[in-house]
Each structure stands twice: as structure tokens, then as C-alpha cells.
Amino acid sequence: MTVRSSAPSAFGFGRSSWMISPYVRRLRLAEELRGLRTAAGMTHEQLAKKLGASRAQISRLENGHVPPDQDDIIKILDALGVEGEQWTQILTIAREAAERGWWESNKAMGERQALFANLEAGAASICEYQQTFFPGLLQTPEFTRVRVESDWFQRSAGASFQAEGLIKGRAGRQRMLARPGGPTYEVIVDEVVIRRRLAPPGVVRAQLLHLVDKAAEERITIRVLPIETDIEGYTLVPCTFSIYRYHDPGDPVVVGVEAVTSDVVLTEPHQVTSYLHMYDRLRAAALPEQDGLALLIRAADQLPDE
């Protein structure tokens, strides 16, 4: 599709007190419902007729396009003869798919940032390649403010920016990353980001040193992809992207691809696999972790405080 404590649960996968991405759980629910209907030998039309519902309603649920109503899911499970532990598991997924995340109460953070906050929710690990900016999950408020106020391209395209909303949204995402039981986070930063002047020197210097400080945290790994390096197969990397993996092995591996004016979420295995291979090649070509941090420090030392 394009578009918690670690105590084990009754279904055999890790859970925590933090919500799982509703976006991802809708995709998982859709897959479960499609599989159950297919196993029952029923078409969309036949199931809809049995429920007294419309075909479009069944299709929307099976495409993961809408938050599910638990009563509707119960009716579908009853119609398909689902019982016992499987019934409980799917109702649990449906409940999590219908939850509202903290990002929905902060409209000023922007739809694009809210999407990534959704994907980050409940992730077990996040791997990111950043070729344009310093990674949002590790940005200082000062750097974010400069980028928002200077982004003439987005404003010329009609985008509406609220600096304080974006900064608060980013701070919320950073708190979720740092929470107890939060995901491991590895980011590969292209050296182009480090060398290009993306903000006043003092702001960039503080941002570089902030990255070095964050790299000392247990679950955060920062690597640098040097400009003068050979990537296996001379691979062309056209964009910034992130890979999300979740505790439940039944949930899809998700890739979020950043573009200029909109972002794309990939979950189809053949699409995701290409990005997994690409990330492995970037990681192999990146500097050893300590060498990358030394490069960040040297770059910071070359810039004035103000």
C-alpha cells in the first residue's frame, strides 16, 4: 500500500503502556479482515449483504482508509464466524486503530509532521537517512525556527506555517523518542547537511554540538555519510526516508519518504525491501560512529558562537 513495558501479551508480542500507531494498526486490521473474508470464501458484496451494509463500507475498512467502529468490527467477526483468542486479538487491534494520538490536538504542528508522529508512536526502532536537514527528532528549537521562517519555497507553494506550533510539535515527538521504553533510533546524516549553511553560524554550531550530545544517549546512534565515499553499486539515493519497525511481528515494516511538498508512506513488501537494501548500503558506506562524531565536532569548531 502506498499512500510498551516489554511484558508479553496473550498474543505473544511485546506491549507497552504507550499507544501503537493508529495508522499502522489500521493497515494491520485491514489485512486481518481481508484474510478472514477470503478464508471464508466471501466477496465484498456477499459480506456486505450478510451485514446489511454497503460494499464501499467493507472496502474502506479493508483498505485501512477510515478509523474503525468497534461495533462494525464485531458484526464482521460474527458474520465470519471468528471466535476465541482470534476474536479478542482483532478487537484489540481495532481499538488501537481507532485511538486518537496526542498530535491530533496540535493542529498547528502541521499535517506532515503529524503523520510522522503517528508512525513513530509505539515503534520499536526507527532508522533514518537524512540528506537535506538535520533530523527533526534531534533538531534544536532555534534551528527549527530559522528553517520555518526561511522556507520561502513552501510559502510560495501556498503552505501555511506557524513556527511555535511546529516547534511544540517537534518537541512532543522528541519527548516520545526519549520516553522510557521508546524506540531505538539510528540516523545517517549526509555530510552535505553538515557543510551547507542552513542557518546562521551560531545556530548551526549549537545544532552540531547538540547532535554530539544526543549521540551519547543509549538508544540513539548518529552516523555521517561522507561526501567522498563509494556507495555499493554506486547507488543513487534520491530522497530522505525513514524505516519504522514495530513490536508486533504482524504489523508491517513502514517506510516514510519525504518529498518537497508531500510525503509518501510505503508498506508493500517489494517497495519496502528496496529501501531496506538502500539503507544497508548507506550504513556500510558511512563513517564509523566515533569518526562521524569527530567530524561533527570539527565542523562545529570551524563556526563562530554568534
Side-chain angles (χ1 to χ4, degrees):
M1 180 176 292
T2 303
V3 232
R4 322 176 180 235
S5 74
S6 59
S9 75
F11 310 125
F13 49 84
R15 309 281 296 197
S16 80
S17 58
W18 297 98
M19 72 184 301
I20 306 176
S21 165
Y23 184 101
V24 171
R25 292 309 254 180
R26 289 208 311 263
L27 297 178
R28 170 69 182 283
L29 179 64
E31 181 181 358
E32 295 284 350
L33 294 177
R34 286 195 304 270
L36 289 169
R37 178 183 54 76
T38 300
M42 299 179 69
T43 65
H44 291 94
E45 291 81 1
Q46 289 170 332
L47 179 57
K49 184 176 181 179
K50 189 170 184 177
L51 294 171
S54 67
R55 183 192 187 284
Q57 181 181 0
I58 303 299
S59 294
R60 284 194 296 270
L61 286 170
E62 290 192 9
N63 289 329
H65 289 167
V66 294
D69 181 283
Q70 288 204 66
D71 187 54
D72 290 339
I73 302 302
I74 290 172
K75 290 177 180 177
I76 291 174
L77 297 181
D78 289 345
L80 296 174
V82 179
E83 298 177 339
E85 185 175 299
Q86 187 179 34
W87 187 95
T88 304
Q89 180 182 13
I90 294 175
L91 256 293
T92 299
I93 295 172
R95 175 181 57 78
E96 293 166 341
E99 289 183 352
R100 292 175 59 84
W102 64 268
W103 51 88
E104 297 192 46
S105 63
N106 182 6
K107 300 298 183 183
M109 71 187 287
E111 292 183 3
R112 299 180 70 181
Q113 186 168 205
L115 171 62
F116 284 99
N118 194 329
L119 295 176
E120 291 156 6
S125 68
I126 303 170
C127 295
E128 176 181 346
Y129 166 62
Q130 182 56 253
Q131 71 171 196
T132 308
F133 299 116
F134 294 106
L137 285 172
L138 301 178
Q139 279 185 22
T140 64
E142 295 76 18
F143 182 83
T144 299
R145 185 183 304 279
V146 170
R147 293 311 315 160
V148 171
E149 293 174 351
S150 65
D151 203 336
W152 63 268
F153 184 91
Q154 295 282 6
R155 286 198 297 273
S156 68
S160 175
F161 286 90
Q162 300 182 51
E164 292 306 319
L166 288 171
I167 290 171
K168 288 179 179 178
R170 189 146 288 165
R173 291 171 60 201
Q174 293 170 354
R175 283 194 296 272
M176 292 298 101
L177 177 68
R179 71 185 186 272
T184 59
Y185 177 57
E186 179 179 84
V187 59
I188 300 171
V189 182
D190 200 298
E191 187 181 352
V192 171
V193 176
I194 299 165
R195 299 302 183 187
R196 181 164 291 141
R197 192 63 56 83
L198 298 171
V203 174
V204 175
R205 185 177 191 277
Q207 174 66 74
L208 290 167
L209 295 178
H210 179 68
L211 291 182
V212 175
D213 289 341
K214 297 302 289 184
E217 297 185 10
E218 184 177 358
R219 289 184 280 110
I220 295 177
T221 302
I222 300 173
R223 302 183 185 278
V224 175
L225 182 71
I227 294 172
E228 296 181 355
T229 190
D230 292 333
I231 303 173
E232 181 185 347
Y234 302 103
T235 301
L236 173 64
V237 186
C239 58
T240 288
F241 63 92
S242 301
I243 301 167
Y244 305 87
R245 294 179 173 89
Y246 301 89
H247 292 283
D248 184 344
D251 286 342
V253 177
V254 176
V255 173
V257 181
E258 296 186 28
V260 175
T261 57
S262 62
D263 304 305
V264 177
V265 178
L266 306 173
T267 60
E268 292 292 340
H270 72 279
Q271 297 171 322
V272 168
T273 298
S274 296
Y275 283 90
L276 298 182
H277 290 332
M278 189 183 301
Y279 188 84
D280 287 343
R281 292 184 176 191
L282 291 169
R283 195 177 191 278
L287 293 172
E289 186 177 356
Q290 291 304 314
D291 291 351
L293 295 179
L295 189 153
L296 293 175
I297 294 171
R298 289 197 302 272
D301 287 345
Q302 295 169 2
L303 295 169
D305 292 328
E306 299 297 334

